Amino acid sequence: MTGLSTNSLRVLEIIDGTAVDGPGLRTSVYLAGCCHRCRGCHNPQSWDFRAGSDMTVRQVLDRIIENDFNVTLSGGDPLYQLDAVLPLCREICRAGKTIWCYTGFIYEAICADTSLRRILDVVDVLVDGPFVASLRDTSLRFRGSSNQRIIDVKRSLVMQRDGTFVSWEG
């Protein structure tokens, strides 16, 4: 995994009060860096790990607290900055905000990887899977292609013993 220090995130943009990256108004944090390189990606400038600017976890958190919205992490792929994303998410949770996380990794692969699995302890909803241009569907809510799933992480971890996951039902 490509990672940054636990104090610093490479941030492309923070959008305050958006309604397209999850339910209600949210603060969306777009992080730099992605190795999935999905054909047809709506944000290919996010692939570059050097894009954007460095922000401390504290700076990002202050912006989130100031906005007082729930949070969405996107990119790029936030899991490529996991060492800094985890402390940020813990602080967001302490502030009483919910967290959605978009990733090109699939849920089952995250569960199987001891490093990636740590994200499941701190996010409420995971939108998983790469964007697949041939499966693009503009009628889908909060995702771009039909292979992507909106997973209620907490409920899925309870159900996981039988290999199932629970879709978010918001």
Side-chain angles (χ1 to χ4, degrees):
M1 300 297 310
T2 301
L4 300 175
S5 77
T6 58
N7 295 332
S8 180
L9 293 154
R10 196 73 183 173
V11 178
L12 294 168
E13 186 174 14
I14 299 176
I15 300 177
D16 310 320
T18 181
V20 298
D21 294 326
L25 293 178
R26 309 184 72 76
T27 297
S28 286
V29 180
Y30 290 86
L31 299 168
C34 187
C35 294
H36 303 294
R37 299 185 179 269
C38 303
R39 201 178 107 236
C41 173
H42 78 284
N43 200 9
Q45 65 275 17
S46 70
W47 299 350
D48 184 353
F49 286 89
R50 298 165 305 194
S53 57
D54 284 324
M55 292 181 75
T56 65
V57 167
R58 179 86 253 163
Q59 288 171 314
V60 175
L61 183 64
D62 286 347
R63 177 88 173 260
I64 289 166
I65 299 303
E66 176 184 319
N67 290 322
D68 200 28
F69 298 126
N70 289 316
V71 178
T72 297
L73 302 176
S74 192
D77 191 321
L79 300 191
Y80 285 108
Q81 296 191 50
L82 192 57
D83 288 341
V85 165
L86 288 171
L88 174 64
C89 288
R90 287 184 195 108
E91 292 301 319
I92 294 168
C93 291
R94 279 194 253 287
K97 305 298 175 199
T98 65
I99 304 168
W100 277 44
C101 181
Y102 283 77
T103 180
F105 293 97
I106 62 167
Y107 178 76
E108 292 81 1
I110 293 168
C111 288
D113 184 298
T114 55
S115 179
L116 292 178
R117 185 169 171 51
R118 299 177 296 162
I119 196 67
L120 301 178
D121 295 330
V122 294
V123 300
D124 298 286
V125 173
L126 187 78
V127 182
D128 81 332
F131 172 76
V132 176
S134 63
L135 299 176
R136 180 176 186 254
D137 184 343
T138 59
S139 71
L140 296 172
R141 201 167 161 215
F142 307 131
R143 54 199 171 119
S145 58
S146 60
N147 64 297
Q148 296 172 312
R149 302 173 294 183
I150 301 174
I151 299 171
D152 181 324
V153 174
K154 305 301 184 224
R155 287 180 60 208
S156 293
L157 290 174
V158 170
M159 299 290 294
Q160 192 173 350
R161 283 180 242 130
D162 67 1
T164 61
F165 70 92
V166 180
S167 293
W168 175 77
E169 297 173 5

